[in-house]
Amino acid sequence: MALEVNGKTFETDEEGYLANLNEWEPDLANAMAKVDGAELTENHWQVINFLREYYEEYQIAPAVRVLTKAIGKKLGKDKGNSKYLYELFPYGPAKQACKYAGLPKPTGCV
Amino acid sequence: MADFEVPELREYPIIPKLKEGVMAHSSPYVAKPELQQQLGFPGEMVDDWKEKAIDTLGELTGKYRSLQVFLDSCVKCGACTDKCHYYLGTSDPKNMPVARQDLLRKVYRRYYTLPGKIFGKLGMPGFVGAAELTEEVMDDWYAYFHQCSQCRRCSVYCPYGIDTAEISMAAREIMDAVGKGQKYCNEIIGKAQIIGNNLGLPEPALKNTLEGLEEDIEDETGVKVRMPLDEKGADVLLITPSADFFAEPHIDGLIGYAKVFHAAGISWTMSSYASEAANFGMFIGSYENTRKLSLRIREAAIELGVKRIVFGECGHAWRVAYSFLNTLAGPFDFLDPNYPVPQHICEFTYELMQQGKLNLDPSANDDMVLTYHDSCNVARASRMGDKPGGQFEIPRAIIRATCNNFHDMPADTIKEGTFCCGGGGGLLTDDLMEIRVKGAMPRMQALNDVTKNHSVTHMAAICAICKSQFSKVLPYYGFEMDQIVSLHQLVSNAIILDGQVTEGQETEGEEITN
């Protein structure tokens, strides 16, 4: 599978996750969200940017608890919970947000 | 919400009318060549796949006597037909256990029994329940052996004890051997073999996550509870599913384990090398891969010099640990013989409860009315404690000690008759969402029953797959995703640690007896 954005072609796997992490660019996230019928707001970007920073350091997406804590610090305590993250990413913050951030899909019993 | 029809919950269970072929389209993604090869399987379908599949079937029936007995002994009595949650949820007759078994059995009969060989040569194998192995048969195998969660419920009702789980495992092993493996399972097994866990959490990420949890517990209780990683000389090595580090509500269970170790004053550690309890090697029937994952646990135990191994809340892990660990990776003669090898975290907590070493205040869980979901592989493929049925009684005893409000679901849906969550056995993947949601129907119906009649608000479980699956499928049936909780989350709420600061010293909740 592939996605066309700004005249560039991005290879994705069968579930729509970016094949090559290094190719990621912000417009790709917007395009992926559009496919799901969503529009990315500033709050979505806070999550996506945190995921990318965390991945850069640890080579894995953060645990849901780590993510909620970090978002709580950035956006206020009332937003530091999974309920808020599910409002932003209804398909699940770990999976949907990782996809937009260009990260691989978390695997295992999750 | 869904692009398929979500089954309706009824007041009482019904056996659905057959709808032939309605789930034939449900097949998971096939593993890419590099994922296949790293597990020792061909990258893609080999040219002589038919011969290779038949040969592998012969090898397996030679190696596993049980498999041959299961393939030979079915008398088509029909006792299993309405026992599979996937049949009840989909109405597809190929999800009846006997029909699922027959997908493999008919090929076995064609190539490995005398009547099958004779009538096969005459061009009428169907006369004796045999069939040629064709591409269509292979497609059916791939679809329907990935609609079995290997939960073994059907085997409880089979007068011969035929275990469809074992037949499914054999079928998947044959498919792997010819180059048609499942992406979800095989990718995960590869990660666990290279990084040490199914999620692919490297040591620094694990460390960072555990440190964060230590901070959370201290913020909440005022007590420094440790989450040790790779600490040599600890008494206990805890092996837990990596979902416990990552997902909700799993992580609350992990916090519960840590509090129990802390309260008991027993030194413990986790291992970054063996940071996974779940053994997906079993799902694909691969002895070699199951063994490789088990050996990591042995190596970690030796390296860290521990005296005991305790397993966290993980259903299939406990099957492998309880039933096979000793033969896969034993002998464990270097561990303390005074304790079971290995021990389940529920046994561990229960024993401390018996000794009066845990200070528990069940009113801490008064905001919930609990029920308990017996995870299939704990219920039907293992045991806990030293009495038959301990795997049913010990978790319930822990719930009763930590919660004032508990009601079991209807009797034919719990204990040895428990319904699978719908996501076990390598099916917990987004590409199988339809079968996962439909297969959850019998459990959702039972939950609905106690919700209506006994005001149950939450369901506890001791399996990472069950917890993830329910978080996902509960909303399809009108429940909230956070109605599933970890059993040790209840312990975590109820336990009072020495020196713990309780919030405003609240008044005790009203006690409701059941």
Side-chain angles (χ1 to χ4, degrees), chain A residues 13-15 54 58-66 68-69 82 86 91-92 94-95 105-110, chain B residues 29 32 183-184 188 191 198-200 202 204-205 208 212 216 243 245-246 248 251-252 428 430 465 468 472 481:
Chain A
D13 70 5
E14 53 276 75
E15 295 171 82
Y54 192 93
Y58 293 106
Q59 304 306 305
I60 185 87
V64 177
R65 185 65 56 95
V66 174
T68 51
K69 236 162 99 176
S82 3
Y86 268 90
Y91 297 100
K95 287 178 180 169
K105 181 180 173 180
T107 55
C109 306
V110 294
Chain B
Y29 294 128
K32 296 244 154 36
K183 178 187 172 192
Y184 174 70
I188 283 173
K191 273 192 194 169
N198 293 352
L199 267 158
N208 173 268
D216 292 352
F245 307 119
F246 195 84
E248 312 269 357
I251 212 158
D252 292 303
L428 190 80
D430 292 349
I465 288 179
S468 293
K472 197 82 196 180
M481 63 178 295

Side-chain angles (χ1 to χ4, degrees), chain B residues 83-100:
Chain B
K83 302 302 187 288
C84 175
H85 50 292
Y86 292 120
Y87 167 63
L88 295 173
T90 66
S91 314
D92 189 321
K94 281 186 182 155
N95 278 325
M96 289 178 168
V98 55
R100 195 184 316 281

